[in-house]
């Protein structure tokens, strides 16, 4: 990275209550030079506005988390996006259709046409979560992936207990090594 250049920015989007804040905190813990045990999840509040978090992968990247209620202004942040993480609450069936509409809107945005996308079905630690197979079916992910211009990866995660977070960090590292 050239001197004076800012680090790549990854956008973290999704509906309110999907677990974005806890997810980025856990990723920061796991990407630290000396990763700490995750332990009990810290309390989080709904994000109003934007939060910036730096991760070391080993290169520094900035994750810009945008609050779910900021959906109407998400497009103003697309221009600086190097990769996109889209979080879906897999334990909230009433939110599936709105999350799908949000995802389709994000994927159709011209500035994101070649940006790699990671869709995270979060909260799989809860007893009422929908499996990856169920979520793919409800979202019609096969159709979405076949029509999308960008590469899309899907993972199941639990920001609470850490399930799947190592795979998220690996995806982020891969994206950094192979920019589109």
């Amino acid at each position: 990275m050239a001197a004076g250049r800012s680090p790549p920015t990854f956008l973290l989007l999704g509906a309110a209550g999907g677990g974005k804040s806890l997810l980025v905190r856990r990723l920061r813990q796991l990407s630290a030079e000396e990763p700490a045990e995750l332990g009990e999840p810290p309390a989080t509040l709904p994000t109003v506005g934007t939060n910036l978090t730096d991760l070391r992968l080993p290169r520094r990247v900035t994750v810009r988390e945008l609050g779910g209620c900021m959906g109407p202004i998400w497009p103003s942040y697309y221009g600086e996006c190097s990769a996109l993480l889209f979080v879906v609450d897999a334990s909230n069936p009433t939110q599936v259709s709105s999350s799908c509409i949000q995802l389709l809107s994000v994927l159709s945005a011209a500035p994101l046409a070649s940006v790699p996308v990671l869709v995270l079905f979060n909260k799989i630690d809860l007893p009422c979560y929908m499996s990856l197979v169920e979520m793919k079916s409800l979202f019609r992910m096969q159709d979405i992936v076949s029509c999308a211009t960008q590469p899309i990866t899907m993972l199941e995660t639990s920001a609470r207990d850490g399930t799947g977070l190592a795979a998220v960090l690996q995806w982020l590292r891969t994206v950094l090594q192979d920019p589109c």
Side-chain angles (χ1 to χ4, degrees):
M1 187 161 52
R5 273 188 71 197
S6 59
T9 299
F10 295 169
L11 283 181
L12 178 59
L13 306 176
K20 297 179 298 295
S21 295
L22 183 56
L23 176 83
V24 77
R25 284 185 185 185
R26 296 299 208 180
L27 291 174
R28 186 179 61 215
Q29 279 180 276
L30 293 171
S31 70
E33 285 187 35
E34 295 183 28
E37 288 293 317
L38 289 181
E40 282 298 309
T44 59
L45 296 171
T47 301
V48 177
T50 182
N51 288 329
L52 297 174
T53 303
D54 286 337
L55 303 178
R56 295 235 175 248
L57 300 172
R59 200 168 105 204
R60 185 169 71 100
V61 300
T62 299
V63 176
R64 179 182 296 272
E65 174 196 352
L66 299 175
C69 62
M70 292 181 60
I73 64 166
W74 287 353
S76 61
Y77 293 93
Y78 293 168
E80 64 187 45
C81 179
S82 300
L84 174 72
L85 292 87
F86 190 87
V87 178
V88 178
D89 182 346
S91 72
N92 187 347
T94 60
Q95 203 177 71
V96 169
S97 61
S98 63
S99 290
C100 186
I101 291 166
Q102 284 180 320
L103 178 61
L104 289 170
S105 174
V106 167
L107 294 175
S108 67
L112 300 176
S114 62
V115 170
V117 177
L118 179 60
V119 178
L120 299 170
F121 297 110
N122 193 32
K123 299 191 180 183
I124 64 166
D125 57 302
L126 298 178
C128 56
Y129 91 95
M130 290 176 278
S131 71
L132 186 58
V133 170
E134 291 171 304
M135 293 301 287
K136 282 180 171 182
S137 175
L138 287 170
F139 268 70
R140 298 185 57 143
M141 286 305 294
Q142 187 173 356
D143 294 338
I144 290 173
V145 169
S146 67
C147 294
T149 58
Q150 53 279 86
I152 300 174
T153 304
M154 290 159 275
L155 293 173
E156 289 181 305
T157 60
S158 168
R160 176 173 286 284
D161 70 17
T163 302
L165 298 187
V168 173
L169 287 173
Q170 185 55 49
W171 183 87
L172 294 171
R173 288 181 186 108
T174 301
V175 165
L176 277 175
Q177 293 169 1
D178 186 25
C180 293

